[in-house]
Amino acid sequence: MNVDVTPLPGIGVRKDFELASGRRIGVITHRDGHSDLIISKADDPDACAASLPMTVEEAATLSNLLGAPQLVAQLEEDHRDLPGIITRQLHVHEGSRFDGAVLGDTALRTRTGVSVVAVMRAGQVAPSPKPDFVLTGGDILVAVGTADGLDAAAKILRNG
């Protein structure tokens, strides 16, 4: 997929791409760091139909929502021939016991048999995180294990 990058003098940078429908969707990253999600008009891909201002946190959350399912789908495909093994997204909530703790403090593998294979944060993937990886509220852990193990891991992340 081709992403067009357009400098906007005095404003920032526009990055967008064309959807199968012909509309364009993208982001304007302003010089001060905030972002706008932009969507073109259906009949004119150069005209903006909607512009939604987003905080850094909102943009990161949207990135995680869009990125994590793709990663999970790929891992599910990779594990398709392994009966009983599934992939799931597990959330680290802001203010939880593990917000600011290292992954090893969760003891997920020891307590549940679940493996954390990646962490999604602000649209970025940290593959194969080590036990000293510092978790942050809003992180999405991509974990692989049995259904029971993943249920137990989600409970641990919620309740400690």
Side-chain angles (χ1 to χ4, degrees):
M1 179 123 343
N2 291 332
V3 175
D4 293 326
V5 178
T6 308
L8 303 173
I11 297 171
V13 177
R14 174 181 171 156
K15 296 178 184 175
D16 65 344
F17 65 96
E18 187 173 335
L19 301 173
S21 67
R23 293 181 87 164
R24 298 190 70 82
I25 188 167
V27 175
I28 295 177
T29 305
H30 295 263
R31 291 174 42 190
D32 65 4
H34 80 275
S35 299
D36 295 326
L37 178 65
I38 55 172
I39 303 168
S40 74
K41 290 185 175 182
D43 59 346
D44 185 356
D46 293 324
C48 190
S51 175
L52 304 169
M54 295 187 300
T55 66
V56 171
E57 183 181 14
E58 291 164 342
T61 300
L62 180 60
S63 293
N64 283 340
L65 290 174
L66 294 172
Q70 292 174 340
L71 180 58
V72 169
Q74 179 60 49
L75 288 169
E76 285 174 348
E77 176 64 23
D78 292 347
H79 298 118
R80 180 176 37 128
D81 297 329
L82 302 173
I85 300 299
I86 58 175
T87 304
R88 189 179 298 165
Q89 299 174 41
L90 305 173
H91 299 268
V92 177
H93 298 285
E94 290 186 31
S96 78
R97 173 175 175 229
F98 299 112
D99 183 358
V102 296
L103 178 60
D105 288 348
T106 67
L108 291 180
R109 179 130 175 91
T110 303
R111 294 167 70 184
T112 68
V114 164
S115 294
V116 176
V117 296
V119 177
M120 293 283 303
R121 178 183 297 155
Q124 301 297 313
V125 177
S128 304
K130 299 203 181 328
D132 63 351
F133 184 90
V134 178
L135 300 172
T136 301
D139 283 352
I140 297 174
L141 309 183
V142 179
V144 176
T146 64
D148 289 343
L150 290 164
D151 290 344
K155 186 176 179 182
I156 289 168
L157 288 174
R158 267 194 318 272
N159 305 326

